[in-house]
Amino acid sequence: MTMNMDDILSPQGPIARRLGERFEVRPQQASMIHAVDEALGAGHACVVEAGTGVGKSFAYLLPAIKYLLAMKEQHTSGPKARIVVSTHTITLQEQLMDKDIPLIQAALGGEFTAVLVKGRGNYLSLRRLKRAMDREQELFPDPQEANSLDVIDQWSKSTTDGSLASLPTLDRSTMWSHVQSDGEDCMGRRCPTFNKCFYQAARRRMENADLLVVNHALFFSDLAMRRDGFGVLPPYDHVILDEAHTVEAVAGDYFGLSLSRFQVGLLLSSLLSQRKQKGLLWSLTKKVDTQTVGLQRAITLAGQAHMASENLFDELITWQETRGRSNGRVQEAEIVTDDLGPILKGLASSLKLLRDHLDDDDDRLELAGYASRCESMAYTLEALVKQSLADSAYWLELQTDRHIPRVKWVCAPVDVGPLLTKHLFSQKTPQGETVGVVLTSATLATASSQQANEPFAHFATRVGVPSEAQMLLLGSPFDYMQQAELFVEAGLPDPNVPTYAQQISPRILHHLDQTDGGAFVLFTSFKLLREAAHWLEPFLAQRGMPLWVHGNGMQRSQLLKKFRENPRSVLLGADSFWQGVDVSGDGLRNVIITRLPFARPDQPLTEARIEQIRSQGGNAFGQYTLPQALLRFKQGFGRLIRSREDTGRVVVMDSRVMTKSYGRQFIDALPAIKVQISRDPRTSPSSEITH
């Protein structure tokens, strides 16, 4: 089947016939389709910023399907052609799988297969569940643990895919780790539940599919593992990264390291908790001769590891409180003595020795899995203590949860660009050809004009895009001049003054009154958010406007559900509400940006990146700080207009847009829109300009 994109997208084409009155010709979408088509055909990199409403998913799915169908016709034997589509959010994955791909399959005849791919740990292992149920009294004496296990058992009898996404809420979420599918604890075809295995069924669907839809976490986890010669995903010809503005952050997570007190504690308590008389080793003492080679040694070392772990993380807390920097960054090696690592390695050896003297395959596999995790933690800890990963930033994250001090030690590469140049953009297909990489988002460029100072320079540098890559800047088909208005509060003080929350809160209330609620109020810190919430709460209560506050214990999905239930709602959000949130229609008609979204310069990774740029003779503010803020600002702005019917206002409370030399760049980065400049309403009238 030869696909002609112009015919498929014509008013008489199959997509138009399928959509009926909903079909519309979008020039921006057509431009993106041809760019992606060329990139996949030639196997090169392509970067596309496509504004809201362009229809990005169709613009990359259609060329991807064209490529796959052409490969099927050309190669009836040999390696299977395959394309990976990766997104950052579950919402977009669901849109692709439930809406866009089925529509294209129906319109084009369904001659290709697509599957949603999840990591192995998302699937239930029926064999591990049975083992946990058989040993429930020995392993899980805690009533909440036992109840959670029973919930999983009941769910296992009705679930069709065994995926964590459909699992009911558990009293003890950690129970999932005891029953999830695990490569180290897998019997393969020897498993008595192999034919019913949820993961193996998902794996077969993945191996047979033409189009794989994954999330960035899985994709970059797989990419990092490929450095060591293995991975999760099968070979693929091309990859399309949607929501690509998150690539640098997600890639940094998976090319780095982390270890927490919680992780170590969960591993060790699953092996042995002498106080509660539970854990794998405790259960083995009831099952085999206590003199079995390795058992007593493993029990002894598990107890020592518990003590060494507590000592290690307590030492880290003490170091941070007495010698550490306020931002948690660790800039010297060996700040603590690593007594835990050698014990974990010894424990791993004992578990392997014990495994080799047991007859039960289940026990042998479980011990092998624990041995592997102990070794992995030991090597991670050694790298963190010695700071052996070059060109990386190291830091500690401390917090108290229910009076328990939590500690997490983190390492991330300062610059992921070289890593992605090597491991992503230089990938080869099974045929030895270069893997084509398409990166797209509504926010990748730091200027609104293709001629204005290379708008993709910042993004391309940060993620290692090759210089020869095609780059395309496409505006939105929405008419922002008619649908929206930008208000800039120019008469407010600098955001760094101590009374800033008290100064902006009355103006926030003014703009909430102007739209009768229906507003997101976006913050860059929870401190400012809480202060504004405290001031606004009684006034909004008087007006009958429901107030929903991010950080008060409710999950983001719950906050959005509550917000959508009342068109007069007001939601105060930080961080995650700047992106990936879609509220179409009249429910959201006001987005208030309380402060320009500059990253805190003392955040460990941000600080390290600024230092690196300066050490190379660059301008850190111009090359990193400002471009990052511009992209974040565009993401916040983009929450307002999600369809041709949406209308409303975006309000910027930060006067630096008008008072600083860089301020105009924030307005210039937006689509053409009317701008209202509001100064002190008591002394100066508002003025209007057009951007």
Side-chain angles (χ1 to χ4, degrees):
M1 174 184 176
T2 301
M3 291 175 58
N4 182 297
M5 290 300 173
D6 293 328
D7 292 342
I8 288 173
L9 289 171
S10 73
Q12 294 77 38
I15 301 295
R17 290 195 298 271
R18 196 76 191 174
L19 288 176
E21 294 182 355
R22 292 179 293 153
F23 177 80
E24 59 180 292
V25 176
R26 302 173 188 172
Q28 299 93 338
Q29 187 183 59
S31 296
M32 181 174 174
I33 285 173
H34 289 296
V36 175
D37 191 26
E38 180 184 341
L40 299 184
H44 63 63
C46 177
V47 177
V48 185
E49 175 175 298
T52 307
V54 165
K56 291 188 294 296
S57 56
F58 266 68
Y60 58 70
L61 286 173
L62 286 171
I65 292 161
K66 174 187 174 182
Y67 175 88
L68 292 168
L69 295 179
M71 289 298 101
K72 280 188 176 182
E73 289 184 357
Q74 294 175 23
H75 306 289
T76 55
S77 61
K80 181 181 181 63
R82 192 179 284 111
I83 290 179
V84 173
V85 175
S86 181
T87 79
H88 185 59
T89 61
I90 294 174
T91 301
L92 183 51
Q93 290 174 4
E94 291 174 344
Q95 175 190 315
L96 292 173
M97 293 303 301
D98 300 337
K99 179 181 175 183
D100 297 339
I101 292 174
L103 190 152
I104 294 173
Q105 285 176 317
L108 302 182
E111 298 181 21
F112 66 96
T113 55
V115 299
L116 178 63
V117 181
K118 302 177 183 181
R120 182 167 194 152
N122 283 274
Y123 293 97
L124 174 70
S125 166
L126 292 170
R127 181 179 58 81
R128 294 191 77 204
L129 172 62
K130 182 179 184 303
R131 182 172 64 200
M133 294 296 295
D134 290 344
R135 302 178 183 176
E136 181 176 349
Q137 295 300 317
E138 299 164 340
L139 296 177
F140 314 115
D142 182 287
Q144 289 186 311
E145 289 181 328
N147 181 65
S148 297
L149 186 60
D150 289 341
V151 169
I152 295 173
D153 183 47
Q154 291 302 314
W155 165 76
S156 72
K157 295 175 173 61
S158 59
T159 180
T160 56
D161 67 349
S163 168
L164 182 59
S166 62
L167 178 66
T169 302
L170 304 177
D171 292 334
R172 287 282 189 269
S173 59
T174 54
M175 185 54 61
W176 181 254
S177 66
H178 297 279
V179 299
Q180 68 188 42
S181 182
D182 183 350
E184 299 285 351
D185 191 356
C186 177
M187 299 177 68
R189 293 187 177 278
R190 294 183 295 112
C191 178
T193 64
F194 179 81
N195 291 330
K196 297 187 291 183
C197 178
F198 297 114
Y199 171 72
Q200 294 296 342
R203 181 86 190 174
R204 288 190 291 273
R205 290 193 296 270
M206 177 179 70
E207 295 285 356
N208 292 323
D210 303 304
L211 193 67
L212 307 182
V213 178
V214 307
N215 64 20
H216 289 348
L218 176 59
F219 179 78
F220 286 104
S221 172
D222 173 80
L223 200 66
M225 286 190 292
R226 285 171 184 251
R227 293 180 300 176
D228 301 320
F230 61 95
V232 176
L233 299 174
Y236 48 84
D237 293 37
H238 304 299
V239 59
I240 298 166
L241 299 169
D242 201 346
E243 300 177 307
H245 58 277
T246 63
V247 161
E248 181 181 16
V250 180
D253 288 342
Y254 287 93
F255 280 93
L257 298 170
S258 69
L259 190 68
S260 71
R261 178 179 230 154
F262 177 79
Q263 286 175 287
V264 179
L266 180 61
L267 172 70
L268 295 176
S269 62
S270 298
L271 266 175
L272 179 68
S273 174
Q274 290 180 323
R275 180 175 62 85
K276 294 184 178 181
Q277 296 188 340
K278 69 169 190 173
L280 174 61
L281 295 176
W282 181 266
S283 70
L284 288 176
T285 64
K286 310 296 182 184
K287 186 176 180 181
V288 301
D289 189 333
T290 56
Q291 299 305 308
T292 301
V293 176
L295 178 56
Q296 288 301 324
R297 179 65 176 159
I299 290 173
T300 299
L301 288 172
Q304 291 177 0
H306 272 291
M307 294 181 61
S309 173
E310 290 303 299
N311 290 338
L312 172 79
F313 288 107
D314 284 345
E315 281 187 45
L316 286 173
I317 294 172
T318 300
W319 184 90
Q320 174 60 32
E321 291 175 343
T322 58
R323 298 175 53 195
R325 296 182 52 196
S326 59
N327 65 354
R329 189 173 174 196
V330 180
Q331 293 178 274
E332 57 184 291
E334 299 184 350
I335 60 172
V336 292
T337 302
D338 180 16
D339 294 327
L340 175 60
I343 297 174
L344 287 173
K345 290 179 183 178
L347 177 56
S349 297
S350 295
L351 293 174
K352 291 177 183 178
L353 187 62
L354 175 59
R355 174 201 61 190
D356 293 341
H357 286 81
L358 296 181
D359 297 324
D360 187 280
D361 283 345
D362 251 8
D363 292 335
R364 289 166 58 86
L365 280 168
E366 194 169 13
L367 285 167
Y370 278 109
S372 177
R373 286 190 284 275
C374 285
E375 285 181 332
S376 176
M377 283 188 179
Y379 288 119
T380 296
L381 180 57
E382 182 179 17
L384 291 169
V385 171
K386 294 182 177 180
Q387 297 203 347
S388 57
L389 268 66
D391 302 317
S392 297
Y394 296 78
W395 68 93
L396 294 171
E397 296 176 0
L398 274 61
Q399 67 181 67
T400 300
D401 182 19
R402 297 179 183 175
H403 308 294
I404 300 173
R406 293 189 177 272
V407 190
K408 187 176 183 180
W409 205 345
V410 187
C411 157
V414 175
D415 186 358
V416 300
L419 291 167
L420 295 183
T421 296
K422 179 179 180 180
H423 299 290
L424 174 61
F425 296 103
S426 299
Q427 278 193 101
K428 299 295 182 182
T429 69
Q431 295 78 25
E433 299 173 354
T434 302
V435 170
V437 182
V438 176
L439 303 103
T440 185
S441 170
T443 52
L444 296 178
T446 52
S448 59
S449 169
Q450 187 70 62
Q451 289 76 39
N453 300 321
E454 300 179 347
F456 291 105
H458 171 73
F459 174 77
T461 300
R462 297 309 308 171
V463 301
V465 178
S467 58
E468 64 273 15
Q470 180 183 6
M471 300 192 186
L472 189 62
L473 180 57
L474 301 171
S476 169
F478 298 154
D479 187 352
Y480 284 89
M481 289 293 289
Q482 298 299 318
Q483 291 182 250
E485 195 167 10
L486 180 70
F487 288 79
V488 178
E489 289 282 350
L492 290 168
D494 185 279
N496 294 308
V497 302
T499 59
Y500 186 63
Q502 288 71 39
Q503 297 279 337
I504 66 170
S505 293
R507 297 306 295 163
I508 293 174
L509 183 61
H510 165 76
H511 286 283
L512 294 177
D513 283 337
Q514 294 297 300
T515 59
D516 193 30
F520 277 3
V521 188
L522 301 178
F523 295 82
T524 59
S525 77
F526 279 104
K527 180 178 183 296
L528 181 60
L529 184 154
R530 286 190 291 267
E531 290 175 351
H534 180 73
W535 192 96
L536 289 167
E537 185 175 14
F539 294 100
L540 296 183
Q542 291 172 4
R543 289 160 169 76
M545 294 182 187
L547 176 63
W548 305 103
V549 181
H550 186 195
N552 276 7
M554 196 177 291
Q555 297 294 321
R556 188 175 82 155
S557 58
Q558 295 175 299
L559 285 169
L560 283 172
K561 182 176 182 295
K562 292 293 185 182
F563 177 83
R564 291 186 176 107
E565 288 174 354
N566 190 318
R568 302 182 69 233
S569 289
V570 176
L571 190 151
L572 277 54
D575 191 31
S576 60
F577 280 94
W578 286 75
Q579 62 179 326
V581 178
D582 193 348
V583 181
S584 297
D586 191 50
L588 179 61
R589 50 196 179 273
N590 190 352
V591 173
I592 300 175
I593 295 174
T594 57
R595 184 170 180 162
L596 295 179
F598 288 107
R600 282 180 49 190
D602 66 340
Q603 288 178 340
L605 196 51
T606 299
E607 183 181 73
R609 288 171 174 166
I610 289 172
E611 290 173 357
Q612 183 188 64
I613 293 170
R614 287 174 177 167
S615 70
Q616 296 168 349
N619 181 321
F621 182 80
Q623 291 175 232
Y624 183 77
T625 306
L626 179 59
Q628 289 287 102
L630 287 168
L631 293 174
R632 192 72 163 168
F633 181 76
K634 288 172 66 176
Q635 291 161 14
F637 174 88
R639 296 313 96 214
L640 181 68
I641 304 299
R642 310 301 296 175
S643 72
R644 290 187 184 276
E645 290 72 40
D646 289 356
T647 59
R649 65 175 62 190
V650 175
V651 182
V652 181
M653 292 285 166
D654 197 325
S655 61
R656 290 177 294 181
V657 169
M658 303 304 299
T659 62
K660 297 295 185 181
S661 59
Y662 57 76
R664 182 73 196 192
Q665 293 188 48
F666 285 90
I667 297 178
D668 289 344
L670 302 177
I673 189 173
K674 289 181 290 188
V675 184
Q676 289 276 2
I677 309 298
S678 300
R679 294 176 173 83
D680 189 333
R682 296 167 297 181
T683 60
S684 303
S686 297
S687 58
E688 181 177 318
I689 63 174
T690 300
H691 157 56

